[in-house]
Amino acid sequence: MPPTDPRTNTQLLAGRPAFADALRHHRMARRFSQLELSLECGISARHLSFLETGRAKPSRDMVMQLADGLMLPLGTRNALLQAAGFSAAFPASELGSDALKPFRDMLSDMIDRHTPNPAMVCDRHWNVRDANPVAAALLSALGEGIQPLNAVRILTDNPDAPDLVANLPEVLAEMTGRIRLEAMEAPGDAILMNHLAALEAACARHPVKSAGPRSPVVPLILNTPDGQLSFLSTIAHFGTSEDVTIRDLRLELLFPADEATRQALAQFG
């Protein structure tokens, strides 16, 4: 029979270490029961329970094993390791560092080659870090007065957004779902939480009117002096890198959703 702990459950929870709180948060965010996560990680549910109450301390390998089972992004894995008292495992280089110059050159080449279609690179907080001339021209209207230029804030903070984005409610709803997932994976990220709060407030101001079946894709429809431009977006992540900064980047490529937009963009070629 295992030894008993004289403390009450309330006392155990009150004194729970940062790692235990973080582990429980990530498990519940993934909608895993303790049994499901223990099976995924190849450990006993009892041991997982002890880790979540602070009655057991994890080894570094155990933290990595749990992070794998939870499918956490690299930055969040570093945070989980540090919460358990270990050093980070994955480097987080500055985007402007010499170490990442080959990667920056590759990104620049990719967005240049996407011309005449818009392309841009955003960091984990959706700050625009680079853009080709077509994207820069569109962003200048959408993000007027917003510094640093941010793909979330141009939707939530620009009072002219309802006039510039023809389908703003649908675009806001799509972006809200995306940021909600990212904030769930990085619970300590105040900037993502602020983004989410701003998006939810904007969604309340601009609700989606149709309650019918949703379209399989949400275009970005912009009102311009030369007429409407309609785009479909694809967002690429770089999963082969072990660097947190690179993993957190998003390469967004916009493609014309109709012939009128395609012909308008051809003028930039």
Side-chain angles (χ1 to χ4, degrees), residues 21-159:
D21 282 336
L23 175 59
R24 185 172 184 272
H25 170 88
H26 291 307
R27 175 180 64 78
M28 295 182 70
R30 288 285 194 253
R31 299 182 183 273
F32 279 146
S33 68
Q34 287 186 340
L35 178 59
E36 289 168 335
L37 181 57
S38 65
L39 291 173
E40 184 71 26
C41 297
I43 63 175
S44 72
R46 182 171 181 268
H47 184 53
L48 179 60
S49 176
F50 279 18
L51 289 170
E52 286 195 2
T53 58
R55 294 176 67 181
K57 294 183 178 180
S59 66
R60 185 182 182 88
D61 287 343
M62 176 57 68
V63 177
M64 296 296 283
Q65 192 172 336
L66 291 165
D68 282 341
L70 290 164
M71 298 173 287
L72 298 179
L74 298 189
T76 309
R77 294 182 189 221
N78 278 347
L80 194 62
L81 281 166
Q82 291 168 331
F86 302 107
S87 60
F90 303 99
S93 307
E94 290 291 334
L95 187 58
S97 66
D98 290 341
L100 296 190
K101 184 179 184 305
F103 189 79
R104 292 197 308 275
D105 291 343
M106 179 191 74
L107 285 176
S108 295
D109 185 58
M110 291 175 73
I111 63 175
D112 287 345
R113 288 176 181 271
H114 197 61
T115 303
N117 299 326
M120 63 183 181
V121 177
C122 296
D123 63 21
R124 65 174 299 184
H125 294 134
W126 291 89
N127 296 310
V128 179
R129 303 300 298 264
D130 198 2
N132 65 11
V134 191
L138 296 175
L139 289 167
S140 65
L142 288 169
E144 185 175 359
I146 297 173
Q147 292 296 328
L149 193 59
N150 183 278
V152 174
R153 294 299 178 178
I154 63 177
L155 299 174
T156 62
D157 293 10
N158 186 348

